[in-house]
Protein backbone atom coordinates (compact mmCIF):
# COMPACT_ATOMS: atom_id res chain seq x y z
CA UNK A 1 0.00 0.00 0.00
CA UNK A 2 1.02 3.59 -0.60
CA UNK A 3 1.65 6.03 2.24
CA UNK A 4 -1.42 8.07 1.31
CA UNK A 5 -3.56 4.93 1.39
CA UNK A 6 -2.45 4.18 4.93
CA UNK A 7 -3.08 7.79 5.95
CA UNK A 8 -6.60 8.07 4.56
CA UNK A 9 -7.43 4.54 5.73
CA UNK A 10 -6.46 5.32 9.32
CA UNK A 11 -8.32 8.64 9.17
CA UNK A 12 -11.37 6.80 7.84
CA UNK A 13 -11.33 4.39 10.80
CA UNK A 14 -11.01 7.31 13.18
CA UNK A 15 -14.02 9.04 11.64
CA UNK A 16 -16.10 5.84 11.44
CA UNK A 17 -15.74 5.12 15.17
CA UNK A 18 -15.53 8.64 16.63
CA UNK A 19 -17.94 10.69 14.51
CA UNK A 20 -21.54 10.98 15.69
CA UNK A 21 -23.81 11.79 12.76
CA UNK A 22 -25.46 15.22 12.85
CA UNK A 23 -23.69 15.88 16.17
CA UNK A 24 -19.92 16.13 15.65
CA UNK A 25 -18.43 18.05 12.73
CA UNK A 26 -15.32 17.07 10.81
CA UNK A 27 -13.07 18.74 8.25
CA UNK A 28 -10.48 17.25 5.89
CA UNK A 29 -7.67 19.40 4.49
CA UNK A 30 -4.45 18.61 2.63
CA UNK A 31 -1.21 20.30 1.68
CA UNK A 32 1.34 19.93 -1.11
CA UNK A 33 2.45 23.03 -2.98
CA UNK A 34 -0.65 24.70 -1.54
CA UNK A 35 -3.25 24.34 1.20
CA UNK A 36 -6.58 22.81 0.20
CA UNK A 37 -9.82 22.19 2.07
CA UNK A 38 -11.08 18.92 0.63
CA UNK A 39 -14.18 18.94 2.84
CA UNK A 40 -15.20 21.83 5.06
CA UNK A 41 -16.73 21.27 8.47
CA UNK A 42 -19.70 18.95 8.12
CA UNK A 43 -21.87 16.85 10.40
CA UNK A 44 -22.42 14.32 7.58
CA UNK A 45 -19.96 11.45 7.93
CA UNK A 46 -20.29 10.21 4.34
CA UNK A 47 -18.99 13.54 3.01
CA UNK A 48 -15.80 13.08 5.03
CA UNK A 49 -15.23 9.56 3.70
CA UNK A 50 -15.82 10.79 0.14
CA UNK A 51 -13.19 13.51 0.64
CA UNK A 52 -10.69 10.94 1.94
CA UNK A 53 -11.34 8.79 -1.13
CA UNK A 54 -10.59 11.73 -3.43
CA UNK A 55 -7.37 12.49 -1.57
CA UNK A 56 -6.15 8.96 -2.13
CA UNK A 57 -6.37 9.52 -5.88
CA UNK A 58 -5.03 13.09 -5.97
CA UNK A 59 -1.33 12.78 -5.07
CA UNK A 60 0.97 14.28 -7.69
CA UNK A 61 4.59 15.44 -7.67
CA UNK A 62 4.07 18.28 -5.18
CA UNK A 63 6.36 19.68 -2.50
CA UNK A 64 5.63 20.09 1.23
CA UNK A 65 3.94 23.30 2.50
CA UNK A 66 3.60 22.12 6.09
CA UNK A 67 4.07 25.15 8.34
CA UNK A 68 1.93 27.61 6.38
CA UNK A 69 -0.81 25.00 6.01
CA UNK A 70 -0.98 24.46 9.77
CA UNK A 71 -1.65 28.18 10.18
CA UNK A 72 -4.25 28.03 7.38
CA UNK A 73 -6.05 25.18 9.14
CA UNK A 74 -6.14 27.05 12.44
CA UNK A 75 -7.55 30.08 10.60
CA UNK A 76 -10.31 27.86 9.19
CA UNK A 77 -11.17 26.65 12.70
CA UNK A 78 -11.62 30.27 13.77
CA UNK A 79 -13.58 31.12 10.61
CA UNK A 80 -15.95 28.14 10.50
CA UNK A 81 -15.50 26.19 13.74
CA UNK A 82 -17.98 26.24 16.63
CA UNK A 83 -16.20 27.90 19.56
CA UNK A 84 -18.60 26.34 22.07
CA UNK A 85 -17.12 22.91 21.25
CA UNK A 86 -13.76 21.25 21.91
CA UNK A 87 -11.49 21.35 18.85
CA UNK A 88 -9.23 18.52 17.70
CA UNK A 89 -6.55 18.95 15.01
CA UNK A 90 -4.49 15.99 13.74
CA UNK A 91 -1.62 16.69 11.30
CA UNK A 92 0.16 13.96 9.29
CA UNK A 93 3.35 14.47 7.27
CA UNK A 94 6.06 12.25 5.79
CA UNK A 95 8.64 14.91 4.97
CA UNK A 96 10.40 18.14 5.77
CA UNK A 97 8.79 21.50 5.00
CA UNK A 98 10.21 22.87 1.74
CA UNK A 99 7.45 25.10 0.35
CA UNK A 100 6.26 27.45 3.13
CA UNK A 101 6.70 31.18 2.69
CA UNK A 102 5.32 32.86 5.82
CA UNK A 103 7.30 30.36 7.88
CA UNK A 104 10.15 29.98 5.40
CA UNK A 105 11.74 26.55 5.33
CA UNK A 106 15.04 28.36 4.89
CA UNK A 107 14.66 30.01 8.31
CA UNK A 108 15.85 27.68 11.06
CA UNK A 109 13.56 29.52 13.50
CA UNK A 110 10.37 28.61 11.57
CA UNK A 111 9.57 25.45 13.60
CA UNK A 112 9.73 27.48 16.80
CA UNK A 113 7.61 30.25 15.23
CA UNK A 114 4.82 27.96 13.99
CA UNK A 115 4.92 26.19 17.35
CA UNK A 116 4.32 29.49 19.13
CA UNK A 117 1.49 30.29 16.70
CA UNK A 118 -0.20 27.00 17.57
CA UNK A 119 0.28 27.76 21.28
CA UNK A 120 -1.20 31.26 20.97
CA UNK A 121 -4.04 30.62 18.52
CA UNK A 122 -5.10 27.01 19.13
CA UNK A 123 -3.52 25.30 22.12
CA UNK A 124 -4.18 28.21 24.48
CA UNK A 125 -7.65 26.78 25.09
CA UNK A 126 -7.70 23.73 27.42
CA UNK A 127 -10.54 22.23 25.35
CA UNK A 128 -8.40 22.19 22.18
CA UNK A 129 -6.25 19.20 21.21
CA UNK A 130 -3.52 19.47 18.52
CA UNK A 131 -1.39 16.51 17.43
CA UNK A 132 1.46 16.45 14.89
CA UNK A 133 2.62 13.10 13.51
CA UNK A 134 5.77 12.72 11.44
CA UNK A 135 6.18 9.37 9.70
CA UNK A 136 9.55 8.17 8.43
CA UNK A 137 13.12 7.36 9.33
CA UNK A 138 16.52 8.99 8.92
CA UNK A 139 16.50 12.12 6.78
CA UNK A 140 12.92 11.58 5.63
CA UNK A 141 11.65 13.74 8.47
CA UNK A 142 13.22 16.51 10.53
CA UNK A 143 12.91 15.31 14.11
CA UNK A 144 14.50 18.49 15.47
CA UNK A 145 11.94 20.65 13.70
CA UNK A 146 8.99 18.50 14.76
CA UNK A 147 10.24 18.45 18.33
CA UNK A 148 10.65 22.23 18.32
CA UNK A 149 7.08 22.69 17.05
CA UNK A 150 5.72 20.49 19.82
CA UNK A 151 7.93 22.05 22.52
CA UNK A 152 6.98 25.62 21.62
CA UNK A 153 3.35 24.69 21.00
CA UNK A 154 2.97 22.71 24.21
CA UNK A 155 1.45 19.66 22.51
CA UNK A 156 2.51 16.17 21.33
CA UNK A 157 4.66 16.03 18.18
CA UNK A 158 5.00 12.30 17.52
CA UNK A 159 7.42 10.50 15.21
CA UNK A 160 6.82 6.94 14.04
CA UNK A 161 8.87 4.78 11.69
CA UNK A 162 6.24 3.64 9.18
CA UNK A 163 2.68 4.29 8.03
CA UNK A 164 1.21 0.92 9.13
CA UNK A 165 1.71 2.19 12.70
CA UNK A 166 -0.52 5.20 12.06
CA UNK A 167 -3.77 3.44 12.92
CA UNK A 168 -2.55 2.68 16.45
CA UNK A 169 -1.46 6.31 16.91
CA UNK A 170 -4.89 7.52 15.78
CA UNK A 171 -6.55 5.05 18.15
CA UNK A 172 -4.54 6.37 21.08
CA UNK A 173 -5.41 9.95 20.13
CA UNK A 174 -9.10 9.07 19.93
CA UNK A 175 -9.01 7.30 23.32
CA UNK A 176 -7.03 10.09 25.00
CA UNK A 177 -9.26 12.88 23.71
CA UNK A 178 -12.49 11.00 24.41
CA UNK A 179 -11.50 10.16 27.98
CA UNK A 180 -10.16 13.68 28.59
CA UNK A 181 -13.55 15.12 27.66
CA UNK A 182 -15.38 12.93 30.18
CA UNK A 183 -12.65 12.96 32.82
CA UNK A 184 -12.25 9.19 32.93
CA UNK A 185 -9.13 7.08 32.35
CA UNK A 186 -9.15 3.88 30.28
CA UNK A 187 -6.66 1.08 30.91
CA UNK A 188 -4.18 0.56 28.07
CA UNK A 189 -5.27 -3.05 27.75
CA UNK A 190 -8.75 -1.93 26.75
CA UNK A 191 -7.65 0.08 23.70
CA UNK A 192 -9.98 -0.60 20.80
CA UNK A 193 -12.01 1.33 18.26
CA UNK A 194 -15.16 -0.12 19.83
CA UNK A 195 -14.09 1.46 23.12
CA UNK A 196 -13.82 4.83 21.37
CA UNK A 197 -17.31 4.48 19.93
CA UNK A 198 -18.71 3.53 23.32
CA UNK A 199 -17.14 6.52 25.08
CA UNK A 200 -18.35 8.89 22.38
CA UNK A 201 -21.91 7.55 22.63
CA UNK A 202 -21.99 8.06 26.40
CA UNK A 203 -20.18 11.42 26.60
CA UNK A 204 -22.58 13.36 24.34
CA UNK A 205 -20.07 16.18 23.99
CA UNK A 206 -20.02 17.41 20.37
CA UNK A 207 -16.61 18.23 18.90
CA UNK A 208 -15.22 19.93 15.83
CA UNK A 209 -12.22 18.04 14.46
CA UNK A 210 -9.96 18.25 11.43
CA UNK A 211 -7.34 16.19 9.63
CA UNK A 212 -4.51 17.99 7.83
CA UNK A 213 -2.88 15.39 5.56
CA UNK A 214 0.32 15.62 3.52
CA UNK A 215 -0.38 15.05 -0.18
CA UNK A 216 3.20 15.75 -1.42
CA UNK A 217 4.72 13.51 -4.09
CA UNK A 218 6.45 11.20 -1.62
CA UNK A 219 3.05 10.14 -0.26
CA UNK A 220 2.63 8.00 -3.38
CA UNK A 221 5.58 5.82 -2.29
CA UNK A 222 5.07 2.44 -0.58
CA UNK A 223 4.31 2.84 3.12
Amino acid sequence: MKKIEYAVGAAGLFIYHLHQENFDRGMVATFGNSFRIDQGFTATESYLHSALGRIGRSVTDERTRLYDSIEDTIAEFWRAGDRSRPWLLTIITDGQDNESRTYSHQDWRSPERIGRTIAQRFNHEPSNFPFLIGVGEGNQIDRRALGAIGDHGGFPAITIAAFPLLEMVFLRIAINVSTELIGRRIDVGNLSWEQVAQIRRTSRIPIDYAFLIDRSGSMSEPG
Side-chain angles (χ1 to χ4, degrees):
M1 287 175 58
K2 298 177 181 179
K3 293 177 181 180
I4 192 65
E5 292 171 334
Y6 280 112
V8 299
L13 277 173
F14 185 102
I15 292 169
Y16 178 77
H17 291 283
L18 180 136
H19 187 94
Q20 299 174 92
E21 186 77 2
N22 297 319
F23 191 66
D24 301 312
R25 299 196 311 161
M27 178 178 82
V28 178
T30 56
F31 61 95
N33 293 336
S34 61
F35 172 72
R36 185 177 77 203
I37 297 175
D38 298 84
Q39 172 59 58
F41 282 109
T42 179
T44 303
E45 181 180 342
S46 62
Y47 294 172
L48 297 166
H49 291 293
S50 295
L52 290 174
R54 293 192 299 272
I55 292 168
R57 300 186 296 269
S58 70
V59 173
T60 58
D61 189 22
E62 294 189 67
R63 287 161 62 83
T64 305
R65 185 185 183 272
L66 172 60
Y67 303 155
D68 287 3
S69 298
I70 293 174
E71 183 173 57
D72 290 339
T73 306
I74 292 172
E76 185 63 15
F77 265 100
W78 283 105
R79 190 192 71 81
D82 185 340
R83 187 55 279 184
S84 69
R85 302 176 173 210
W87 288 354
L88 167 61
L89 170 58
T90 304
I91 306 156
I92 309 104
T93 184
D94 79 327
Q96 303 180 26
D97 185 292
N98 56 21
E99 192 64 21
S100 289
R101 295 293 182 266
T102 301
Y103 300 89
S104 172
H105 61 278
Q106 298 174 333
D107 183 351
W108 65 272
R109 296 165 298 183
S110 286
E112 289 83 354
R113 289 175 54 222
I114 186 60
R116 286 193 294 269
T117 295
I118 297 168
Q120 294 163 3
R121 297 194 59 209
F122 194 87
N123 203 31
H124 65 296
E125 295 282 357
S127 61
N128 292 355
F129 304 91
F131 296 90
L132 172 59
I133 306 164
V135 189
E137 296 180 297
N139 293 328
Q140 292 174 316
I141 57 175
D142 188 338
R143 283 183 168 78
R144 186 209 70 83
L146 295 176
I149 294 171
D151 289 344
H152 286 78
F155 70 96
I158 305 161
T159 58
I160 58 177
F163 274 85
L165 303 173
L166 196 56
E167 180 186 338
M168 182 54 66
V169 174
F170 280 9
L171 174 56
R172 289 184 177 276
I173 290 172
I175 286 284
N176 289 344
V177 171
S178 298
T179 55
E180 181 82 14
L181 292 176
I182 64 172
R184 180 160 60 91
R185 289 288 182 183
I186 301 296
D187 293 335
V188 172
N190 292 335
L191 282 179
S192 70
W193 286 114
E194 289 70 26
Q195 188 77 25
V196 172
Q198 180 182 351
I199 296 170
R200 292 297 298 143
R201 285 194 298 270
T202 58
S203 69
R204 301 307 294 170
I205 299 172
I207 66 172
D208 278 2
Y209 65 94
F211 284 99
L212 177 60
I213 301 174
D214 193 336
R215 65 166 196 274
S216 61
S218 58
M219 290 291 286
S220 65
E221 297 172 356

